[in-house]
Amino acid sequence: MSAPLSLGIDIGGTFTDLVIHDPRTGRAVIWKESTTPDDPARGALEGTRRVLEKAGAKPQEIGRVVHATTLFTNALIERKGAKTGLLTTAGFGDVLEIARERKYELYDLFIEMPKPLVPRPWRREAKERLGPDGSIEIALDVEAALAEVADLVEKGVESLAICFLHSYANAAHERAIGAAVAERFQNLSISLSSDIAPEIREYLRASTTVANAYVRPLAEIYLERLEQALRDEGIPGGLFLMLSNGGLTHVSEAKRAPVQLLESGPAAGALAGAWFGRNAGLERVLAFDMGGTTAKLALVDDGEPLVAWGFEAAREKRFLRGSGLPMQIATVELIEIGAGGGSIAHRSDLGTLNVGPESSGAQPGPACYGRGGTEATVTDADLTLGYLNADFFLGGAMKIDAVATHAAFEKLAGALGVEPGRAAFGVHDVVNENMAGAARVAIAERGRVPSEYALLATGGAGPVHAWHVARKLGVSRVVCPPGAGAGSTIGMLMAPARVDRVASFTTALAGADLDAADSLFAGLEKEALDVLHLTGADVENRTVRRLADMRYIGQGSEITVVLPQLLDEAEVKTSFEAAYKALFARTPPGAAIQFVALRLSVSAPMPGTGGKLELPRHASAAALKGTRPVFFPDEGKTLPTRVWDRYALEPGVSIDGPAVFEENESTFIVGPNSTARLLADGSILAEAN
């Protein structure tokens, strides 16, 4: 019998979450290890040893390891990737600099635009030219292009992005120079835009390909080392990576296109929200994931998170569109809505209270961690307000320095000219209002109403803030799933394998050669299945979705439409118009429709995903742990609040708020005038009366 257990490892900015799951019984064991920023794998391996010890399991029992990391995103943000060069069509060397030619803040005279990942001297041009239809207008001069690459290598370039004009329509020139470069410079990492992002729009394609080249050497080294380290620990199972699209892939695909992993951790949080929401019988969920560094929101409709086909990485201003580097990859549609538990509070130049975007991270961490942090953070505020128990942080495994927290708030309060308690509530409330405001806008942009949803909280800080964020949004139901503090890691372990592929198909719908479209889809599906087979997924039970980017002829942007399996012009038109009306309420009369690109999404169940989750329980013990004073803003005062041991509650029990539910990895706060019920799957559903 093969090794039965699954191990999930999610490296976040503050904590590395680890979960061992037995799909046969549903038993799960959770461990949170402080992230080691200097070498993230070190903390992951130490956590692996700890979670194995806690579970009473042997390394050889681990049949697969599923991993998500912020390492590659951080490399973009901190500009710590490889020395990268760009080879592009003559005349297009400045496409990264020109970008979209628009400012994200129109009236900011001191605006800082995102700096290109490739400096100007390392951007070189090749003599070649393709037409929009892929026809060759100027033949590729291979030797001249190789001479440019040789000069880059001599100057220390380690990774090369190749992005030729219109290569989405014909990859011949890119493949020819790619093969020649690979033969002559065998230590140079190469990324072709026709492999990474074969789509129209030169800047977006170049930005994505360059980002892939920038992090690819780092990804190859990191993943090889992690694989070897896991083998050295005696773990025989294969290593799988969480993708931004909410699916899993194998190591070789992750090394080829690590740009697909940029949003892997947050995507897992959205998957957890969808999975727990389905278990709780909820079809519409706002998956709210708040960790130590950031808070993100994902809309889950009909049990599935929404997927977008692009996002921005490494923004200069976290919440401003256009201030980052655009990435043309499939990603769970995530909205960054605020700060995390480690976000630092400070007095602004105007004398007001600001929280974030700076974070204390894992080192030194919030003041209460006792690791040298002196600034007041969100976690320190939550501790001061009574939401967290200093004696039960991480189940008592982590010693909390309440004196350091008090000193931090004395300092902040002095700067603001208020009492320390008022400063603590201000920090908590500012964060909640920032998150609720961002969520309102994001939900409205998608034509939704917050009250239609339940807010489902994951992450170490999510359940602490969820009730108050929900009150501000007008959401009456809040769900805290079991193991919420490691929700993203649980989501990864339940994820299917998934592959998304795209092909250019620029043609008018009227009279389109739909047989050619079918052939393109067949080719994309073959590519996808080649990848899925390597993951060991159950491809016989795969789900295949055909989509298309479409627009009215003359428009500058597209919408993505789900296509019928059997392509028919009338049905495709009906699907497009329905999707267009859902977004814009009307369709322009008499306008002609066109295809821009075809997309294929293939997912298949992974062995060992299991259908249930069982965390340790001790129902015979006293569920009521006692009472403590907790501040509730709706009441404007501190109330004596009963504190419950979540592990000791029986399904079906109903508890009136206010209440605090403690578990090792997080704490769920429920306000007054509410009722909380423990559902059959172990989730707590709190509803305002």
Side-chain angles (χ1 to χ4, degrees):
M1 180 176 159
S2 61
L5 304 181
S6 296
L7 170 64
I9 305 173
D10 181 16
I11 301 179
T14 307
F15 285 103
T16 294
D17 295 342
L18 301 103
V19 177
I20 285 180
H21 181 246
D22 187 338
R24 300 166 301 179
T25 63
R27 178 177 179 259
V29 176
I30 298 171
W31 181 263
K32 289 179 91 75
E33 183 75 20
S34 290
T35 294
T36 47
D38 59 313
D39 179 9
R42 191 176 81 249
L45 291 169
E46 180 59 30
T48 297
R49 297 182 195 111
R50 297 289 188 88
V51 76
L52 282 166
E53 182 183 339
K54 184 178 177 182
K58 295 184 175 70
Q60 55 266 32
E61 293 180 76
I62 302 297
R64 66 180 185 126
V65 180
V66 182
H67 180 39
T69 178
T70 57
L71 183 66
F72 310 134
T73 304
N74 292 343
L76 288 182
I77 294 170
E78 299 166 12
R79 295 298 198 269
K80 291 182 178 177
K83 294 176 181 176
T84 303
L86 170 65
L87 182 67
T88 189
T89 302
F92 287 82
D94 290 321
V95 70
L96 294 179
E97 205 96 47
I98 296 168
R100 293 187 175 106
E101 275 195 318
R102 63 173 181 257
K103 296 164 69 175
Y104 57 86
E105 283 190 305
L106 190 59
Y107 301 107
D108 185 351
L109 299 179
F110 305 101
I111 191 170
E112 287 192 29
M113 300 300 287
K115 291 183 177 62
L117 297 173
V118 180
R120 186 64 184 86
W122 292 352
R123 302 200 294 265
R124 300 300 176 87
E125 299 177 1
K127 182 183 176 185
E128 70 87 41
R129 185 77 177 229
L130 298 175
D133 61 352
S135 59
I136 296 174
E137 296 182 359
I138 299 175
L140 171 66
D141 187 334
V142 174
E143 288 306 316
L146 282 173
E148 295 286 358
V149 175
D151 189 51
L152 289 175
V153 171
E154 190 177 323
K155 287 179 166 54
V157 165
E158 304 161 328
S159 188
L160 179 69
I162 300 175
C163 185
F164 289 162
L165 187 67
H166 301 311
S167 63
Y168 57 85
N170 181 357
H173 281 183
E174 282 194 358
R175 298 204 186 287
I177 190 60
V181 170
E183 183 179 352
R184 188 171 297 187
F185 307 101
Q186 296 181 6
N187 293 326
L188 186 65
S189 179
I190 303 168
S191 297
L192 306 182
S193 76
S194 50
D195 285 341
I196 302 301
E199 302 184 50
I200 63 167
R201 298 194 175 88
E202 199 66 12
Y203 169 56
L204 302 184
R205 189 158 50 88
S207 176
T208 308
T209 309
V210 163
N212 192 78
Y214 190 72
V215 300
R216 188 172 177 183
L218 172 69
E220 289 172 341
I221 293 169
Y222 171 76
L223 293 172
E224 282 171 10
R225 284 180 178 171
L226 184 60
E227 266 193 307
Q228 185 58 51
L230 290 169
R231 281 196 294 268
D232 291 345
E233 291 290 321
I235 294 173
L239 177 62
F240 300 95
L241 282 302
M242 186 77 206
L243 296 172
S244 302
N245 63 13
L248 301 180
T249 195
H250 56 86
V251 173
S252 59
E253 177 69 4
K255 289 177 183 176
R256 182 192 72 83
V259 71
Q260 297 181 68
L261 276 67
L262 291 180
E263 290 284 87
S264 60
L271 274 188
W275 190 76
F276 283 119
R278 290 194 300 269
N279 287 353
L282 302 169
E283 290 300 312
R284 286 199 163 186
V285 166
L286 299 175
F288 169 52
D289 183 15
M290 183 177 180
T293 310
T294 59
K296 300 212 175 189
L297 189 81
L299 274 69
V300 177
D301 284 344
D302 301 322
E304 295 292 337
L306 304 181
V307 173
W309 308 100
F311 77 105
E312 286 183 6
R315 282 178 172 169
E316 293 290 326
K317 297 285 182 71
R318 271 175 58 182
F319 302 113
L320 286 182
R321 290 177 186 168
S323 69
L325 303 171
M327 300 292 140
Q328 289 291 88
I329 62 168
T331 177
V332 169
E333 197 163 342
L334 298 158
I335 309 108
E336 187 171 349
I337 60 171
S343 296
I344 295 170
H346 59 277
R347 181 184 184 274
S348 74
D349 294 339
L350 298 175
T352 58
L353 172 64
N354 278 9
V355 183
E358 297 82 10
S359 174
S360 61
Q363 295 288 346
C368 65
Y369 285 11
R371 295 173 177 165
T374 59
E375 304 294 331
T377 68
V378 175
T379 297
D380 293 306
D382 293 342
L383 185 67
T384 302
L385 296 169
Y387 301 137
L388 300 177
N389 180 354
D391 297 324
F392 195 70
F393 202 85
L394 292 185
M398 187 170 182
K399 185 174 173 57
I400 289 300
D401 189 344
V403 174
T405 289
H406 181 73
F409 271 105
E410 287 280 357
K411 177 181 168 184
L412 179 65
L416 294 170
V418 298
E419 293 294 317
R422 175 67 180 159
F425 170 66
V427 171
H428 182 84
D429 198 51
V430 163
V431 167
N432 290 345
E433 184 54 50
N434 287 347
M435 292 190 289
R440 277 188 212 102
V441 172
I443 295 165
E445 283 179 343
R446 289 153 182 79
R448 310 291 201 273
V449 179
S451 59
E452 297 174 354
Y453 290 81
L455 188 70
L456 192 145
T458 56
V464 180
H465 289 257
W467 181 261
H468 296 143
V469 171
R471 300 295 290 165
K472 289 177 179 291
L473 280 174
V475 171
S476 61
R477 294 176 298 164
V478 180
V479 180
C480 179
S488 291
T489 318
I490 293 169
M492 291 190 316
L493 293 175
M494 305 304 172
R498 176 166 171 161
V499 179
D500 287 274
R501 289 289 185 264
V502 60
S504 176
F505 190 68
T506 308
T507 185
L509 173 61
D513 184 352
L514 296 181
D515 288 337
D518 266 324
S519 296
L520 274 174
F521 275 128
L524 295 177
E525 186 166 354
K526 183 183 181 305
E527 281 182 39
L529 290 178
D530 288 344
V531 176
L532 285 179
H533 279 299
L534 293 174
T535 67
D538 180 9
V539 294
E540 295 302 315
N541 289 310
R542 64 185 178 272
T543 300
V544 180
R545 296 179 76 216
R546 291 180 166 196
L547 309 102
D549 290 353
M550 302 179 71
R551 65 188 179 192
Y552 286 107
I553 293 175
Q555 289 183 328
S557 57
E558 306 83 47
I559 64 172
T560 302
V561 180
V562 178
L563 297 178
Q565 282 300 110
L566 293 174
L567 294 181
D568 173 82
E569 187 176 312
E571 287 192 35
V572 171
K573 181 181 179 182
T574 300
S575 298
F576 170 77
E577 289 181 340
Y580 196 92
K581 281 182 180 177
L583 284 171
F584 305 112
R586 63 182 295 273
T587 56
I593 301 166
Q594 72 174 152
F595 289 102
V596 175
L598 302 179
R599 298 186 182 276
L600 189 81
S601 174
V602 185
S603 60
M606 287 289 287
T609 49
K612 58 181 178 178
L613 181 76
E614 292 287 343
L615 290 169
R617 295 179 61 244
H618 41 252
S620 59
L624 183 61
K625 299 176 73 170
T627 62
R628 70 168 177 259
V630 179
F631 183 83
F632 289 98
D634 287 351
E635 304 296 315
K637 60 184 178 182
T638 298
L639 300 174
T641 304
R642 291 181 295 174
V643 180
W644 300 89
D645 179 352
R646 176 175 189 150
Y647 303 115
L649 295 173
E650 290 280 8
V653 69
S654 182
I655 294 169
D656 291 332
V660 175
F661 299 92
E662 289 186 344
E663 58 183 304
N664 290 345
E665 298 80 26
S666 189
T667 301
F668 184 34
I669 307 298
V670 176
N673 305 312
S674 64
T675 303
R677 290 184 295 116
L678 189 68
L679 304 181
D681 76 327
S683 295
I684 299 173
L685 172 62
E687 297 187 78
N689 296 333

